Amino acid sequence: MKKLLPLLILTMCLALQACAKEDIYVQWNGNNVKVDGASRHLYICETDNGTLEMTATDADKNQTIHLSGKGTGRFILNSNHTTNIILDGLELQCDTSYAIVFKGKKSIKMTLTDGTVNILGDEGINAKGNLRINGNGSLTINATQDGHKGMRVHGDMSVTDNPTINITTSGQPLKSEKMTPPIMPQKNDGATRKATPPMPEHPGNEAFVRYTYEGTSKGLKVSGSIAIKGGDINIKTSTPGAEGIETKDSLLMAGGSLHVEAHNDAISVGRKMVVTGGTIYAISQTNDGIDINGGMKPMGGAPTMDLMRGMQKEGIDPMQAMREMMKNRKPTYIQTGGSVTCKTLAPPPEEGLDTDEIPILHTGGTLNK
């Protein structure tokens, strides 16, 4: 038995060593990609003119992949498991699409190695799942092609530690269409009603001219929520329709610094914005500094436009009724700390902080609008 014990311990150690994951190291040199580590048996790798596509297996949970070097091409990861990505001094350029693509719907933990400079273009990162950015390095994304965004996250996004993130976009929208001003009902002699003429367009006043844009060069678009707890984030857009940050859900600012300058809304929030710390500076050239659309979500189980049409049939001024309904809704902008400055360079009706006439809840910190 005494002889079998050391053999058993040795066998267990060898088994654990066999199960331990090696880090994978990917390095670009021009359009050549070199892969080292355990990727040969853990991943199916395909390389073509600087593009590396990896497909993870079920055994690859919490795998760590280091990306470094300078070159042209793309990194594409197909994984349904949480993966650790380390940017360790990467400069990667792809003019046709996103330089880094995460196709899996699980979380990606991206670490910017302390002291490193990482640069991506022409679009930066497209994550189908959640993206968590941490570390103390820097990431710069320069998007110059028409319709190209800096970063697209289909899940939630968070920023912790103290990374520096710089995103600049300058491409024109791929398509734009002029919107017809709404025709609202009004009373006429107390009995009949007629439509009011379209709101006049004022030359030189962009606030009265509305467009819809497709393929706009937004800085950061997130389908879920954004939580910022640290870091220095700087986003700038300069072309029609290009918002700085758009989140379809909520924005939580708890620390760090967020500086956004945009042609369209600097910060567009779908549901709610909560500020407990940190510093925000948001300025728009033609629209709202901060635009929170939570008040325009479906109310009463019916879409907003259906409600307005119903009011119109009943002879009720839908705009006035909507204003009254908004005033009774819960705040969509809540601030208990931190510092927020939000401005617009456009004339009314654009605002520094637009909450769709829902009252804000401001109990701490500073708010300049």
Side-chain angles (χ1 to χ4, degrees), residues 26 28 33 35 43-48 50-56 74-79 101 103:
V26 181
W28 275 263
V33 188
V35 181
Y43 287 80
I44 300 172
C45 300
E46 297 180 2
T47 59
D48 179 29
T51 296
L52 172 65
E53 183 165 1
M54 294 178 138
T55 302
R74 305 178 72 196
F75 175 74
I76 303 171
L77 175 65
N78 302 285
S79 176
V101 178
K103 290 187 175 181

Coordinates of all heavy atoms in Angstrom, one line a residue, residues 26 28 33 35 43-48 50-56 74-79 101 103:
V26 N -1.3 34.5 -30.1 CA -1.4 34.8 -31.5 C -0.7 36.1 -31.8 O -0.9 37.1 -31.1 CB -2.9 35.0 -31.9 CG1 -3.1 35.3 -33.4 CG2 -3.7 33.7 -31.5
W28 N 0.6 38.8 -35.0 CA 0.6 39.3 -36.4 C 1.9 39.9 -36.8 O 2.5 40.6 -36.0 CB -0.5 40.3 -36.6 CG -1.8 39.7 -36.9 CD1 -2.4 39.5 -38.1 CD2 -2.8 39.2 -35.9 NE1 -3.7 38.9 -38.0 CE2 -3.9 38.7 -36.6 CE3 -2.8 39.1 -34.5 CZ2 -5.0 38.1 -36.0 CZ3 -3.9 38.6 -33.9 CH2 -5.0 38.1 -34.6
V33 N 0.2 35.3 -39.7 CA -0.3 35.1 -38.3 C 0.4 33.9 -37.8 O 0.4 32.8 -38.4 CB -1.8 34.9 -38.3 CG1 -2.3 34.8 -36.8 CG2 -2.5 35.9 -39.1
V35 N 0.6 31.2 -34.5 CA -0.2 30.7 -33.4 C 0.7 29.7 -32.6 O 1.2 28.7 -33.2 CB -1.5 30.0 -33.9 CG1 -2.3 29.6 -32.7 CG2 -2.3 31.0 -34.7
Y43 N -8.4 23.8 -30.9 CA -9.2 24.7 -31.9 C -8.9 24.2 -33.3 O -7.9 23.6 -33.6 CB -8.7 26.1 -31.8 CG -9.1 26.9 -30.6 CD1 -8.5 26.7 -29.4 CD2 -10.2 27.8 -30.6 CE1 -8.9 27.4 -28.2 CE2 -10.7 28.4 -29.5 CZ -10.0 28.3 -28.3 OH -10.4 28.9 -27.2
I44 N -9.9 24.5 -34.1 CA -9.7 24.4 -35.6 C -9.3 25.8 -36.1 O -10.0 26.7 -36.0 CB -11.0 24.0 -36.3 CG1 -11.5 22.6 -35.7 CG2 -10.8 23.9 -37.8 CD1 -12.9 22.2 -36.2
C45 N -8.1 25.9 -36.6 CA -7.6 27.2 -37.0 C -7.5 27.3 -38.5 O -7.1 26.4 -39.2 CB -6.2 27.4 -36.4 SG -6.1 27.3 -34.6
E46 N -7.9 28.4 -39.0 CA -7.8 28.7 -40.4 C -7.2 30.1 -40.6 O -7.7 31.0 -40.0 CB -9.2 28.6 -41.1 CG -9.9 27.3 -41.0 CD -11.2 27.2 -41.7 OE1 -11.6 28.3 -42.2 OE2 -11.9 26.2 -41.7
T47 N -6.2 30.1 -41.4 CA -5.5 31.4 -41.6 C -5.6 31.7 -43.1 O -5.4 30.8 -43.9 CB -4.1 31.4 -41.1 OG1 -3.4 30.4 -41.8 CG2 -4.0 31.2 -39.6
D48 N -5.9 33.0 -43.4 CA -5.9 33.4 -44.8 C -5.6 34.9 -44.9 O -6.4 35.7 -44.5 CB -7.2 33.0 -45.5 CG -7.3 33.4 -46.9 OD1 -6.2 33.5 -47.6 OD2 -8.4 33.7 -47.4
G50 N -3.8 37.0 -43.3 CA -3.9 37.8 -42.1 C -5.2 37.6 -41.2 O -5.3 38.1 -40.1
T51 N -6.1 36.8 -41.7 CA -7.3 36.5 -41.0 C -7.2 35.1 -40.3 O -6.8 34.1 -40.9 CB -8.5 36.4 -41.9 OG1 -8.8 37.7 -42.5 CG2 -9.8 36.0 -41.2
L52 N -7.5 35.1 -39.0 CA -7.4 33.9 -38.2 C -8.8 33.6 -37.6 O -9.3 34.5 -36.9 CB -6.4 34.0 -37.1 CG -6.3 32.9 -36.0 CD1 -5.9 31.6 -36.7 CD2 -5.4 33.3 -34.9
E53 N -9.3 32.5 -37.9 CA -10.6 32.1 -37.3 C -10.5 30.9 -36.5 O -9.9 29.8 -36.9 CB -11.7 31.8 -38.4 CG -13.0 31.5 -37.8 CD -14.2 31.6 -38.9 OE1 -13.8 31.9 -40.0 OE2 -15.3 31.4 -38.5
M54 N -10.9 30.9 -35.2 CA -10.8 29.8 -34.3 C -12.2 29.4 -33.8 O -13.0 30.2 -33.5 CB -10.0 30.3 -33.1 CG -8.5 30.6 -33.4 SD -7.6 31.1 -31.9 CE -6.1 30.2 -32.1
T55 N -12.3 28.1 -33.7 CA -13.6 27.5 -33.2 C -13.3 26.7 -31.9 O -12.5 25.7 -32.0 CB -14.2 26.6 -34.3 OG1 -14.5 27.4 -35.4 CG2 -15.5 26.0 -33.7
A56 N -13.9 27.1 -30.8 CA -13.6 26.4 -29.6 C -14.4 25.1 -29.4 O -15.5 25.0 -30.0 CB -13.9 27.3 -28.4
R74 N -7.9 39.9 -39.6 CA -9.0 39.8 -38.6 C -8.7 38.7 -37.7 O -8.1 37.7 -38.0 CB -10.3 39.6 -39.3 CG -10.7 40.6 -40.4 CD -12.0 40.3 -41.0 NE -13.1 40.5 -40.1 CZ -14.3 40.0 -40.3 NH1 -14.6 39.2 -41.3 NH2 -15.3 40.3 -39.5
F75 N -9.3 38.8 -36.5 CA -9.4 37.7 -35.5 C -10.8 37.4 -35.3 O -11.6 38.3 -34.8 CB -8.7 38.1 -34.2 CG -8.8 37.0 -33.2 CD1 -8.1 35.8 -33.3 CD2 -9.7 37.1 -32.1 CE1 -8.2 34.8 -32.3 CE2 -9.8 36.1 -31.1 CZ -9.1 35.0 -31.2
I76 N -11.2 36.2 -35.5 CA -12.6 35.7 -35.4 C -12.7 34.5 -34.4 O -11.9 33.5 -34.7 CB -13.3 35.3 -36.7 CG1 -13.2 36.5 -37.7 CG2 -14.7 34.9 -36.6 CD1 -13.6 36.1 -39.1
L77 N -13.5 34.6 -33.4 CA -13.6 33.5 -32.4 C -15.0 33.0 -32.4 O -15.9 33.8 -32.1 CB -13.1 34.0 -31.0 CG -13.3 33.0 -29.9 CD1 -12.4 31.8 -30.1 CD2 -13.0 33.6 -28.6
N78 N -15.2 31.7 -32.6 CA -16.4 31.0 -32.5 C -16.4 30.2 -31.2 O -15.7 29.2 -31.1 CB -16.7 30.1 -33.7 CG -16.7 30.8 -35.0 OD1 -17.6 31.5 -35.4 ND2 -15.6 30.6 -35.7
S79 N -17.1 30.7 -30.2 CA -17.1 30.0 -28.9 C -18.4 30.2 -28.2 O -18.9 31.3 -28.1 CB -15.9 30.5 -28.0 OG -16.0 29.9 -26.8
V101 N -13.8 39.9 -34.0 CA -15.2 39.4 -34.0 C -15.3 38.3 -33.0 O -14.6 37.3 -33.1 CB -15.7 39.0 -35.4 CG1 -17.1 38.5 -35.3 CG2 -15.6 40.2 -36.3
K103 N -18.1 35.6 -32.1 CA -19.4 35.2 -32.6 C -20.3 34.5 -31.5 O -21.5 34.4 -31.7 CB -19.2 34.2 -33.8 CG -18.7 34.9 -35.0 CD -18.6 34.0 -36.2 CE -18.3 34.7 -37.5 NZ -18.2 33.8 -38.7

